[in-house]
């Protein structure tokens, strides 16, 4: 859960990500953010990383700006990574 006075008081948060990835988004207004990261071993040298994130805001009708605008107050994002080790 986050709550700030506005864009000038935004909150920067480090989030877990897939292997060798990083995420450091900023949030402002009032809302909730959920992030889940899973790792599943498929074989001895093969594994899958999955990241699922959810954002819900209550103080504005859309998320983002410009070409990355999302109509509506909810946004789901996901990342899938498959790793093969030699």
């Amino acid at each position: 859960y986050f709550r700030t006075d506005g864009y000038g008081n935004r909150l920067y948060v480090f989030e877990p990500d897939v292997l060798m990835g990083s995420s450091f988004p900023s949030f402002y207004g009032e809302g909730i953010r959920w992030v889940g990261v899973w790792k599943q071993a498929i074989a001895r040298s093969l594994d899958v990383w999955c990241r699922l994130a959810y954002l819900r805001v209550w103080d504005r009708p859309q998320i983002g700006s410009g070409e990355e605008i999302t109509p509506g107050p909810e946004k789901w994002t996901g990342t899938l990574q498959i790793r093969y080790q030699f």
Side-chain angles (χ1 to χ4, degrees), residues 35-54:
V35 178
V37 178
W38 298 273
K39 176 190 172 193
Q40 180 66 48
I42 306 259
R44 184 175 173 203
S45 60
L46 184 69
D47 56 5
V48 175
W49 292 73
C50 180
R51 177 181 184 264
L52 189 62
Y54 173 74

Side-chain angles (χ1 to χ4, degrees), residues 5-83:
D5 292 334
Y7 186 76
N9 295 325
R10 57 193 174 268
L11 185 67
Y12 291 92
V13 180
F14 176 79
E15 293 180 347
D17 209 332
V18 295
L19 181 66
M20 304 299 277
S22 63
S23 180
F24 202 67
S26 66
F27 304 108
Y28 69 95
E30 184 177 8
I32 191 165
R33 175 75 168 182
W34 177 87
V35 178
V37 178
W38 298 273
K39 176 190 172 193
Q40 180 66 48
I42 306 259
R44 184 175 173 203
S45 60
L46 184 69
D47 56 5
V48 175
W49 292 73
C50 180
R51 177 181 184 264
L52 189 62
Y54 173 74
L55 173 64
R56 170 77 159 113
V57 294
W58 291 293
D59 61 339
R60 55 191 183 273
Q62 59 195 17
I63 299 171
S65 63
E67 292 184 13
E68 294 191 13
I69 197 163
T70 301
E74 296 181 330
K75 183 176 183 179
W76 286 90
T77 55
T79 306
L80 182 68
Q81 181 183 47
I82 300 172
R83 178 179 70 159

